[in-house]
Amino acid sequence: MKEKLLELKVRALKDIESITNKEEMDRLRQYYLGRKGALTSLLKGLAQLSEEERPVIGKIANQIKAEISEKLQPALESFKIEDAEKKSYFDVTLPGRRIPLGHLHPITQTTEEICDIFIKLGFSIVEGPEVELDYYNFEALNIPKDHPARDMQDTFYISDNVVLRTHTSPMQIRTMESTSPPVSIIAPGKVYRPDSDISHTPMFHQVEGLLVDKGITFGDLKGVLTTFVHQIFGADMDLRFRPSFFPFTEPSAEVDIRCVVCHGKGCRVCSYTGWLEILGAGMVDPEVFKIVNYDIDTISGFAFGMGIERIAMLKTGLDDIRLLFENDIRFLQQF
Ligand code: DAH
């Protein structure tokens, strides 16, 4: 048996010397070392050997197995390298890789859409600070010291007199302070409130509007906002003006559109009212005009403010505001 084993070894080592490709190598490995290979079948004869011979022959067989494997190793390595070289082969006929092209974020798209509508109606765009004085954010807008919006729970305070603006309305005051009437502006931008759930994020966007001139009436307000709603939601969109209250407008209103989900029948989204609130508005309160030294006997005006995320969500049927800021490319690609 020992001779047969040595003979097998000599044959195997010689065969390995002449290997030229991977297939041959696999075949030889299988033939000599495989489960049904030459070595295994030789060792079946072990059972017939005496107790003393068995461990001796077993040891020789293991050594032979190790030697054959070792001899195969360099061949294996060189074929691996050859394989890798084959894979890096450059196919010049392949089409080029497309460079991924981005697009505007849905909030930017909606902001631009809203602004474009008001620009066509003759409004100009103004922008102002996000870190704002309490004076512009609250005081000058006739929002009293004890108003709930001033609570720490509802406003991010930088210091006693400085806040992150909670709305874009301070731009009304900043504009009127530096311009005499007529004024027609919209102010888009970021605003901040300590709120976070499916319909609130601590940072969101608003567009504020202000129009002041001689003889401006609530009729003008209705005309401008009706045109806006028809432009952004379609000419057949129903809307209504519902009485409301804001410290800086009198009278005040909220504008509702027909529920985009149930079209007025009543559903969970519209709390079974058939209507969805989209913005706040009203005639500028004379108290605000007095603060900026506008003559309340000769001029009047209206103002409005809306959340851009809300408009974007109603237009797209999105039900979780947070998706807009996670910036998951799979989400953004859909817009
Ligand atoms: N600033 C209000 C808010 O953040 C929105 C608003 C309501 C703005 C009525 C206005 C207005 O100009 O007239 O909720």
Side-chain angles (χ1 to χ4, degrees), residues 68-289:
I68 298 177
S69 299
E70 210 176 293
K71 183 95 182 183
L72 278 167
Q73 200 53 34
L76 180 68
E77 294 299 327
S78 71
F79 292 133
K80 257 194 209 156
I81 293 166
E82 231 173 67
D83 265 6
E85 274 169 2
K86 263 188 214 149
K87 276 186 195 131
S88 67
Y89 163 72
F90 183 69
D91 182 353
V92 289
T93 67
L94 278 176
R97 275 199 200 127
R98 225 174 251 282
I99 296 168
L101 203 58
H103 62 66
L104 294 177
H105 189 278
I107 291 301
T108 311
Q109 288 180 30
T110 311
T111 308
E112 289 191 353
E113 201 180 331
I114 294 170
C115 288
D116 282 351
I117 294 170
F118 285 107
I119 285 168
K120 282 182 192 146
L121 290 170
F123 289 76
S124 352
I125 294 179
V126 297
E127 283 180 315
E130 292 167 28
V131 181
E132 184 56 287
L133 291 170
D134 175 284
Y135 175 76
Y136 290 109
N137 196 76
F138 295 126
E139 200 69 40
L141 285 161
N142 199 34
I143 299 174
K145 283 263 187 272
D146 59 357
H147 193 279
R150 288 194 165 203
D151 199 283
M152 292 270 285
Q153 307 271 309
D154 296 296
T155 304
F156 288 111
Y157 280 87
I158 304 287
S159 69
D160 280 352
N161 292 322
V162 181
V163 300
L164 293 186
R165 67 179 178 188
T166 58
H167 52 180
T168 38
S169 304
M171 286 314 292
Q172 287 187 29
I173 308 297
R174 284 183 173 275
T175 306
M176 288 191 285
E177 241 183 15
S178 61
T179 342
S180 38
V183 164
S184 59
I185 53 108
I186 50 166
K190 291 187 172 73
V191 300
Y192 302 84
R193 293 180 197 176
D195 251 344
S196 185
D197 58 41
I198 188 167
S199 52
H200 299 88
T201 45
M203 183 281 300
F204 62 105
H205 299 76
Q206 286 190 337
V207 171
E208 183 78 14
L210 173 72
L211 188 142
V212 183
D213 202 351
K214 286 187 185 124
I216 300 296
T217 68
F218 201 90
D220 296 309
L221 167 63
K222 284 184 78 171
V224 166
L225 291 182
T226 302
T227 304
F228 167 70
V229 166
H230 286 163
Q231 293 268 321
I232 196 132
F233 288 109
D236 52 356
M237 178 54 89
D238 260 346
L239 70 158
R240 67 176 186 184
F241 290 76
R242 181 169 39 77
S244 185
F245 174 81
F246 297 101
F248 35 92
T249 45
E250 183 59 35
S252 303
E254 276 170 321
V255 174
D256 298 339
I257 58 169
R258 272 261 190 249
C259 178
V260 292
V261 177
C262 67
H263 305 288
K265 285 193 203 77
C267 69
R268 268 208 356 241
V269 174
C270 60
S271 307
Y272 301 95
T273 61
W275 295 95
L276 295 167
E277 182 207 317
I278 58 155
L279 59 85
M283 301 307 290
V284 178
D285 195 304
E287 288 306 315
V288 174
F289 281 147

Side-chain angles (χ1 to χ4, degrees), residues 21-58:
N21 59 47
K22 188 161 182 294
E23 288 68 41
E24 242 171 70
M25 187 197 73
D26 286 339
R27 201 173 45 74
L28 281 182
R29 175 195 289 284
Q30 201 63 36
Y31 176 75
Y32 285 109
L33 304 178
R35 250 188 326 126
K36 290 179 183 158
L39 192 62
T40 317
S41 50
L42 245 183
L43 289 177
K44 287 215 178 101
L46 268 181
Q48 271 107 56
L49 297 179
S50 70
E51 293 257 341
E52 297 87 62
E53 270 180 314
R54 232 179 278 160
V56 181
I57 298 295

